[in-house]
Amino acid sequence: MSDSPAASDPTAHHVGVTVSDLDRAIGFYTDTFGLDLVAEFSVGGEAFAEAVDVDGASAAFAHLDADGAIVELVEYDPEGEPAPDPELNRPGAIHLGLSVDDVEAFYADLDDAVTTLSPPRTTSSGTTILFVADPEGNLIEILDA
């Protein structure tokens, strides 16, 4: 028997990525990964501010379609302090994972301005991976489909 609430049957809805410049982030994710912009909207008010535990918060959102998974980009007002530089081995660190048909080909076509942690590497599990950073420094793992 599970200890989870009786009414709970969770399914994945989206992966949220907080950014400081929504338009720049939309451009990066649509240009670099070919994700489709499916919705843009704003949310504010007391209930939202209480839900996110940020006094007076409002936010602009963009939903991008990653083959059925939603990548949610969020720009908050007021903006908080930037997160420390991401280190994948830091407890609490997160990253977005996107699969492509060919990591090596994706890397070869990648714009020179996109920051990578290293060239593609094939791990001991046989998976080829590549980590890139978006303009905010958020990490995205690219792996073979």
Side-chain angles (χ1 to χ4, degrees):
M1 181 158 173
S2 173
D3 290 333
S4 63
S8 178
D9 189 15
T11 58
H13 183 269
H14 68 268
V15 174
V17 180
T18 301
V19 299
S20 64
D21 183 331
L22 187 61
D23 291 333
R24 178 178 68 181
I26 291 169
F28 175 81
Y29 283 86
T30 57
D31 294 346
T32 304
F33 303 110
L35 302 184
D36 292 324
L37 177 64
V38 294
E40 286 187 83
F41 56 95
S42 296
V43 178
E46 187 176 332
F48 177 74
E50 288 177 0
V52 298
D53 195 25
V54 177
D55 288 338
S58 63
F61 294 81
H63 281 184
L64 305 171
D65 181 16
D67 195 27
I70 297 296
V71 176
E72 180 180 81
L73 304 175
V74 187
E75 180 183 337
Y76 280 91
D77 181 25
E79 184 176 299
E81 291 296 317
D85 288 337
E87 293 177 13
L88 289 168
N89 64 341
R90 183 188 317 234
I94 61 164
H95 67 273
L96 173 63
L98 298 173
S99 61
V100 297
D101 290 333
D102 185 333
V103 174
E104 295 284 351
F106 176 86
Y107 178 71
D109 291 339
L110 198 57
D111 188 296
D112 291 340
V114 176
T115 301
T116 63
L117 299 186
S118 74
R121 296 291 182 237
T122 302
T123 68
S124 62
S125 70
T127 303
T128 300
I129 62 173
L130 166 69
F131 277 88
V132 302
D134 74 7
E136 309 282 340
N138 297 304
L139 294 177
I140 303 113
E141 179 182 9
I142 311 304
L143 60 151
D144 283 325

